[in-house]
């Protein structure tokens, strides 16, 4: 995917605002740049007790001018709207 779809280009996100939800999660609004196009997007952030930060977002590939990924002569295709999930563990305070 990095070679064929993203063309090894940079993927960047710049936040423009955030608000806390009643469930303790934070909704971050911002601009996501992929394959030379920038679109607004919302990312949900949450943190677990062990310090793991989880970010989730829905990315519609065609919104960035990407053709949904397929292999095996089109017999295996990825849907246009995909769920992206990132996890990071923060270092524990000493």
């Amino acid at each position: 995917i990095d070679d064929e779809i993203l063309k090894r280009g940079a993927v960047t996100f710049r936040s423009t605002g955030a608000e806390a939800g009643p469930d303790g999660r934070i909704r971050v609004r911002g601009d996501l740049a992929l394959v030379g196009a920038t679109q607004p997007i919302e990312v949900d952030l949450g943190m677990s007790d062990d310090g793991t930060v989880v970010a989730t977002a829905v990315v519609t590939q065609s919104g960035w001018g990407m053709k949904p990924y397929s292999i095996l002569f089109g017999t295996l295709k990825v849907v246009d709207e995909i769920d992206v999930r990132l996890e990071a563990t923060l270092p524990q305070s000493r």
Side-chain angles (χ1 to χ4, degrees):
I1 291 176
D2 191 30
D3 290 335
E4 295 177 28
I5 305 298
L6 298 176
K7 309 282 189 223
R8 295 209 171 265
V11 176
T12 61
F13 175 78
R14 179 177 296 264
S15 66
T16 58
E19 60 187 46
D23 60 356
R25 297 180 64 82
I26 299 171
R27 173 148 294 181
V28 180
R29 294 176 306 283
D31 296 315
L32 178 64
L34 292 170
V35 294
T38 303
Q39 297 288 330
I41 194 169
E42 292 185 344
V43 178
D44 288 325
L45 295 177
M47 185 179 298
S48 64
D49 292 337
D50 69 355
T52 300
V53 177
V54 178
T56 57
V58 175
V59 174
T60 304
Q61 298 173 79
S62 60
W64 278 268
M66 293 184 286
K67 181 180 174 188
Y69 186 71
S70 68
I71 57 174
L72 299 173
F73 304 103
T75 58
L76 179 61
K77 297 179 182 179
V78 175
V79 295
D80 191 21
E81 187 175 277
I82 58 172
D83 295 323
V84 177
R85 179 182 171 101
L86 304 171
E87 292 186 20
T89 302
L90 301 177
Q92 297 292 324
S93 300
R94 293 179 192 227

